[in-house]
Amino acid sequence: MIKVTGIEPVEGQVQIALYNAPERWLEESFAHVTLEVKGREIEWRVEGIPDGAYAVATFHDRNGNGKADRNWLGIPKEAYGFSNNVKAVFKPPQWNRVKFIVARPVTAISIELGYWN
């Protein structure tokens, strides 16, 4: 289960992407979901994935346009987060910092959304 918290304001959608390979990190997700925001937190129960190393990237798509909006400098305008609550500084975090291990029966992670600053 992936829990995303800190959704503010309560509007739009949350995009969550699950990755399972370092060479495809932030390029090609293993699974992806778009969830409508109905509160300050949201959960995605991912079923049937094999044990192994994974990483998550998520963002609050406030305007529902399907992309992570950025300003003219390339700085994200919408809140985002990564597994292990790793903060991005000038570039996305590396796989080895965001990866976590999925093991049966249940693996749960929580990601707090935040803005670049």
Side-chain angles (χ1 to χ4, degrees):
M1 181 204 42
I2 299 168
K3 181 178 186 179
V4 178
T5 63
I7 302 168
E8 186 63 42
V10 178
E11 65 185 22
Q13 305 167 333
V14 169
Q15 303 267 347
I16 307 171
L18 178 66
Y19 298 86
N20 66 345
E23 63 275 5
R24 292 191 299 272
W25 168 234
L26 297 177
E27 293 176 15
E28 183 182 335
S29 64
F30 171 77
H32 178 270
V33 70
T34 300
L35 301 170
E36 293 298 319
V37 172
K38 296 180 179 165
R40 291 186 34 91
E41 59 185 50
I42 206 161
E43 291 181 358
W44 180 31
R45 295 189 183 278
V46 187
E47 302 288 335
I49 65 171
D51 292 354
Y54 292 85
V56 173
T58 183
F59 72 96
H60 182 192
D61 185 7
R62 288 179 58 183
N63 59 9
N65 68 356
K67 62 182 183 174
D69 295 325
R70 299 176 179 277
N71 70 14
W72 64 277
L73 291 173
I75 296 170
K77 293 167 58 176
E78 296 172 307
Y80 61 92
F82 299 99
S83 41
N84 300 329
N85 284 311
V86 173
K87 301 297 180 200
V89 180
F90 298 111
K91 62 182 181 176
Q94 295 179 338
W95 171 264
N96 63 353
R97 296 195 60 220
V98 295
K99 75 175 180 179
F100 60 94
I101 303 301
V102 169
R104 296 184 209 283
V106 175
T107 299
I109 67 165
S110 182
I111 300 171
E112 175 78 22
L113 292 180
Y115 287 91
W116 192 89
N117 54 11

